[in-house]
Amino acid sequence: MNSAVSSYLKKRSIKGPWNLEPVPKCTFKYALVVPVYNELGYIDTLIDSIKRQDEKILRTTAVVFVVNNSLSDNDIIKSNNQRTIELILSLEEDLFFVIDASTSGKEVGEEFAGVGFARKLGADLIINHISIDSILLYTDADVLLDKNYLKYIKKYYLENTNSMAAVVGFRHQESSDSRINLIIEEYERYLYDTANRINQSGSPYGYVSIGSCITCRYKAYLAVGGMNKKKATEDFYFLNELAKFNNVDTIKEILVYPSSRSENRIYLGTGFHISNILSGGKIEDLYFSDIGYSKLESLIQIIFNSFTLPIDDINKNLMNLDQGYEFLIKNNIIHIIEELQRTSKSANQFINQFNRWFDALKTIKFIKLFKV
């Protein structure tokens, strides 16, 4: 066993009564992990779209459904999950696996019950049946995958050997409600616009954080300590760690079609925003201001030229960031820059280490300061 895998399994992986059914009989090049919670009415569509993938690549792909609920979930959800488990186990293909985190005695504890735990559990249990260079894929049970999903991802990682992680393009499925379709189109524009403008500012965090579109090499998964167990925003924080490790790229092809259903189940998720706008919220309120992006770009330029600059000069430059300066001072930026100047061996290392400190969360908080 690879030492990185052995170390991860010992220190970071989830321990408990869960296992893969059936037991995998080979080693896979790709692992597609799907958290499943009360999804019997949607999962057939996903399975059909998986079966339409390039057959040769599909035969090297393990599809891992993590069917989960907590002890306190109601009997309707538990029954739905049990029927979903039966459906998956009835599939004849030897590429579909299920992790039962639903049956009595296998439920997820209240503290961690949620999508982050499910995503982590799936990746952790398939790890012994893949190689260190395999590609980990995440999607959701209510999505539709483009027939070229696996083909494009394989092509991307073969051509970009230094890439450790990438998110794929997405477009939500159409709803029978024309108003919801308009809201979704606006919300997608907001997501793409925000990612593009952060990227254009020079930040490494200019990508869309959406769990159903994540891909990465398993070596990157191990390097960042695996998926976190957050009940929501797990995708944001996982991609944040991947970006700090070695960037998160974007595969521009539209390969994932998430559901357009309006649910308020996950705070800050697509369904949450749809519900909020249907209730009177405005999509315009989500956007950041032009001045925010301009100040972010200015900050990045200041840092880009600060490796050998006296700290007093750097401080004067930072003062031009208005309320952004106060935010940075509260976060001890002067001390951080002094330490990075002392420990960095090159300008590139200095900038990379700064970006690790001024991560996606700090970036969003900084831009928000300038909302009008």
Side-chain angles (χ1 to χ4, degrees):
M1 181 183 294
N2 181 281
S3 60
V5 175
S6 178
S7 176
Y8 175 82
L9 290 174
K10 183 178 180 180
K11 298 178 181 179
R12 299 274 193 160
S13 68
I14 292 177
K15 310 296 191 298
W18 306 286
N19 56 277
L20 287 163
E21 300 179 59
V23 177
K25 299 177 181 178
C26 62
T27 299
F28 296 94
K29 293 181 180 178
Y30 303 88
L32 175 61
V33 175
V34 187
V36 183
Y37 174 88
N38 196 31
E39 302 283 3
L40 186 62
Y42 295 89
I43 200 167
D44 273 338
T45 302
L46 171 63
I47 291 171
D48 287 343
S49 71
I50 292 173
K51 290 180 178 179
R52 288 197 296 269
Q53 299 300 305
D54 180 281
E55 184 176 357
K56 187 174 181 180
I57 306 174
L58 185 57
R59 287 295 160 191
T60 66
T61 304
V63 183
V64 181
F65 295 99
V66 187
V67 184
N68 67 101
N69 55 251
S70 69
L71 184 63
S72 64
D73 277 314
N74 63 52
D75 289 340
I76 294 175
I77 291 174
K78 292 178 180 179
S79 175
N80 184 293
N81 279 349
Q82 288 304 308
R83 284 182 288 157
T84 302
I85 291 171
E86 292 170 6
L87 169 65
I88 297 167
L89 290 175
S90 71
L91 298 173
E92 296 181 3
E93 290 83 352
D94 56 358
L95 308 171
F96 296 100
F97 305 93
V98 66
I99 297 172
D100 178 0
S102 171
T103 300
S104 178
K106 295 185 177 182
E107 306 102 322
V108 183
E110 299 295 335
E111 182 182 2
F112 295 118
V115 67
F117 184 92
R119 293 196 199 281
K120 180 173 176 60
L121 182 59
D124 286 0
L125 289 191
I126 195 65
I127 201 169
N128 282 324
H129 307 283
I130 55 158
S131 70
I132 192 70
D133 293 317
S134 295
I135 307 299
L136 172 63
L137 316 169
Y138 278 116
T139 199
D140 290 328
D142 60 353
V143 311
L144 174 67
L145 300 180
D146 185 90
K147 66 179 182 180
N148 292 313
Y149 173 80
L150 289 177
K151 185 183 293 185
Y152 272 115
I153 291 172
K154 177 182 179 179
K155 180 174 182 289
Y156 172 81
Y157 280 102
L158 285 176
E159 293 178 352
N160 298 273
T161 55
N162 292 324
S163 180
M164 289 289 116
V167 291
V168 303
F170 68 95
R171 182 182 301 136
H172 286 82
Q173 300 168 39
E174 283 196 9
S175 168
S176 58
D177 186 326
S178 59
R179 187 185 176 197
I180 288 180
N181 286 330
L182 289 174
I183 293 172
I184 288 175
E185 288 177 12
E186 292 176 346
Y187 183 61
E188 286 180 350
R189 278 196 293 271
Y190 154 73
L191 291 175
Y192 279 119
D193 178 77
T194 302
N196 288 334
R197 297 200 66 177
I198 291 176
N199 179 264
Q200 290 168 5
S201 74
S203 168
Y205 301 102
Y207 47 78
V208 179
S209 297
I210 180 166
S212 58
C213 297
I214 296 174
T215 74
C216 68
R217 296 187 191 274
Y218 248 99
K219 64 177 67 175
Y221 179 85
L222 299 176
V224 303
M227 175 65 71
N228 59 78
K229 299 177 184 177
K230 290 182 177 293
K231 295 187 177 185
T233 66
E234 83 296 334
D235 43 11
F236 176 87
Y237 287 99
F238 182 56
L239 287 167
N240 184 40
E241 293 305 312
L242 288 171
K244 288 195 286 186
F245 171 61
N246 194 53
N247 292 332
V248 171
D249 302 315
T250 298
I251 300 173
K252 294 183 178 180
E253 285 82 5
I254 305 298
L255 300 178
V256 172
Y257 297 86
S259 169
S260 59
R261 57 179 166 163
S262 173
E263 285 193 0
N264 205 5
R265 192 166 75 192
I266 300 177
Y267 176 65
L268 294 180
T270 302
F272 169 82
H273 286 297
I274 294 173
S275 295
N276 185 50
I277 295 169
L278 286 172
S279 301
K282 296 181 179 179
I283 192 72
E284 292 83 4
D285 294 339
L286 296 176
Y287 279 88
F288 302 117
S289 67
D290 291 341
I291 187 68
Y293 292 115
S294 176
K295 293 298 184 181
L296 176 62
E297 184 174 3
S298 296
L299 168 61
I300 291 170
Q301 285 301 313
I302 290 170
I303 298 303
F304 188 83
N305 296 302
S306 292
F307 178 45
T308 58
L309 203 63
I311 198 66
D312 288 342
D313 291 345
I314 296 173
N315 188 53
K316 289 178 182 178
N317 291 335
L318 292 173
M319 287 180 181
N320 295 321
L321 299 176
D322 303 327
Q323 59 262 49
Y325 175 69
E326 297 177 13
F327 170 78
L328 294 167
I329 291 299
K330 288 180 180 178
N331 282 274
N332 299 315
I333 190 171
I334 299 302
H335 171 71
I336 294 297
I337 290 176
E338 287 178 324
E339 281 297 300
L340 293 181
Q341 285 182 329
R342 183 179 65 82
T343 58
S344 299
K345 297 180 180 180
S346 67
N348 280 340
Q349 185 181 17
F350 171 79
I351 294 167
N352 289 337
Q353 290 302 313
F354 178 84
N355 284 333
R356 288 177 61 83
W357 175 76
F358 194 74
D359 62 5
L361 185 59
K362 286 190 178 71
T363 297
I364 296 299
K365 287 182 176 180
F366 179 88
I367 303 172
K368 276 186 176 180
L369 295 170
F370 301 93
K371 290 191 75 168
V372 292

